[in-house]
């Protein structure tokens, strides 16, 4: 029910088909809507990605330090 309230349709008239058509939703707007609706999942995913990258960088620098010894 809540999803139906937030979805806005843009209807336009297509002269070639001679009927009304619904405009396709862009990928960026789908992503924005997903982030807006699922804040916890988005936050956890971003935190996981940041910590994973930080972990890889720290492991790489530690291996470089061990190679210098």
């Amino acid at each position: 029910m809540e999803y139906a309230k937030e979805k806005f349709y843009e209807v336009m008239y297509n002269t070639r088909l001679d009927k009304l058509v619904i405009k396709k939703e862009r990928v960026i707007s789908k992503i924005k809507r997903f982030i807006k609706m699922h804040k916890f999942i988005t936050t956890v995913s971003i935190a996981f990605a940041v910590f994973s990258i930080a972990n890889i960088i720290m492991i790489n620098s530690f291996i470089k330090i061990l190679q210098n010894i």
Side-chain angles (χ1 to χ4, degrees), residues 32-57:
K32 286 180 183 178
R33 187 169 29 104
F34 181 82
I35 289 171
K36 187 177 179 183
M37 291 177 65
H38 304 285
K39 292 179 183 176
F40 181 73
I41 295 172
T42 305
T43 305
V44 169
S45 300
I46 291 173
F48 178 76
V50 168
F51 291 138
S52 296
I53 292 170
N55 191 22
I56 290 170
I57 291 171

Side-chain angles (χ1 to χ4, degrees), residues 6 13 16 20-21 27 30 37 43 49-51 62 69:
E6 293 181 7
Y13 184 74
R16 269 191 265 144
L20 292 173
V21 292
V27 175
K30 287 182 183 179
M37 291 177 65
T43 305
V50 168
F51 291 138
F62 181 71
I69 293 178

